[in-house]
Amino acid sequence: MAQTEITVTVTLDEAGVPLFTYNPPGTVVVTEENTQIIYSLNDQTGKGLSFAGASFANPFDGVIDSVSVTPNILTLHDSDQVNGQTGFRLLFNIQGQSLLLNSPDPVVIDKKNHSLTF
């Protein structure tokens, strides 16, 4: 099973606006079946953030098959059975509040591996 690991660091600017940094940055391109895209949370806000889940612009596009979540790890399961792109937002609980925080749109692109074997 292939894995892509991404650290999501959340900080606050001087006005208290959340800023998101992804390491490594950029779009995730999946070319292997049964890939796990693992987001680890690095909360630098002092607000007690934890993962709540992921919200998809189109959950029916077949790019991501399922999501599993713990307070500090969110995993997207991608079987890479379709070619396509999906956008989503990571959702965060805020300690002591009923409001949720959402991230800017990360993107996952599925590209079937079309390697030729001779």
Side-chain angles (χ1 to χ4, degrees):
M1 180 176 300
Q3 290 186 345
T4 298
E5 296 185 19
I6 301 165
T7 300
V8 181
T9 301
V10 186
T11 58
L12 298 175
D13 70 8
E14 293 172 1
V17 176
L19 303 172
F20 295 84
T21 305
Y22 300 91
N23 188 18
T27 299
V28 175
V29 178
V30 174
T31 59
E32 296 182 51
E33 291 184 1
N34 299 317
T35 296
Q36 291 185 332
I37 304 163
I38 302 168
Y39 289 91
S40 299
L41 176 60
N42 179 12
D43 176 19
Q44 297 294 312
T45 66
K47 302 292 184 184
L49 300 182
S50 61
F51 282 120
S55 173
F56 290 82
N58 181 1
F60 311 113
D61 60 18
V63 175
I64 299 299
D65 301 293
S66 65
V67 176
S68 58
V69 64
T70 67
N72 293 310
I73 303 287
L74 183 137
T75 304
L76 305 178
H77 304 275
D78 186 343
S79 64
D80 195 30
Q81 297 301 304
V82 299
N83 284 321
Q85 175 175 315
T86 197
F88 58 96
R89 295 181 179 260
L90 301 173
L91 301 176
F92 300 88
N93 293 308
I94 306 166
Q95 186 175 22
Q97 293 191 23
S98 60
L99 301 176
L100 297 176
L101 171 66
N102 66 43
S103 70
D105 260 351
V107 174
V108 172
I109 298 175
D110 275 0
K111 291 185 177 182
K112 289 278 200 189
N113 189 350
H114 296 289
S115 300
L116 298 176
T117 305
F118 295 97

